[in-house]
Amino acid sequence: MMHARVARVRAPVLISGTFTAEDLRTIEAEFLGLAHKARLMAKEHDDAGEPEAAVPAREDARLYESIAQKAGDAA
């Protein structure tokens, strides 16, 4: 299964500016949802016997969880 890849941000994510607490909670929830989807995709690859294809999905999940954590901390 081929998936389009998006360039990843490897630098620390800075969340600041004029975000309200509600904005930050929304960002947190959205990225937790993306992390969940990425973990499901990794599991699908594992179940299909494609462990090498699961690695990028796991990396995406960790990135999304990191962003969600930063948004939650800032809220």
Side-chain angles (χ1 to χ4, degrees), residues 13 15 23-38 60-71:
V13 177
I15 297 177
D23 293 336
L24 293 168
R25 285 191 296 275
T26 300
I27 291 168
E28 179 183 24
E30 289 290 328
F31 277 92
L32 286 174
L34 288 171
H36 179 71
K37 288 179 184 179
D60 289 347
R62 284 191 293 272
L63 176 64
Y64 298 148
E65 289 167 348
S66 173
I67 294 169
Q69 178 67 44
K70 290 178 187 311

Side-chain angles (χ1 to χ4, degrees), residues 5 8 10 34-47 50-66:
R5 300 301 301 160
R8 293 201 177 113
R10 293 294 181 198
L34 288 171
H36 179 71
K37 288 179 184 179
R39 293 241 181 254
L40 288 175
M41 185 179 293
K43 183 179 180 334
E44 288 175 3
H45 285 301
D46 283 337
D47 292 348
E50 305 168 335
E52 67 285 346
V55 172
R58 283 193 197 94
E59 290 173 354
D60 289 347
R62 284 191 293 272
L63 176 64
Y64 298 148
E65 289 167 348
S66 173

Side-chain angles (χ1 to χ4, degrees), residues 5-20:
R5 300 301 301 160
V6 177
R8 293 201 177 113
V9 176
R10 293 294 181 198
V13 177
L14 175 64
I15 297 177
S16 64
T18 59
F19 290 113
T20 66

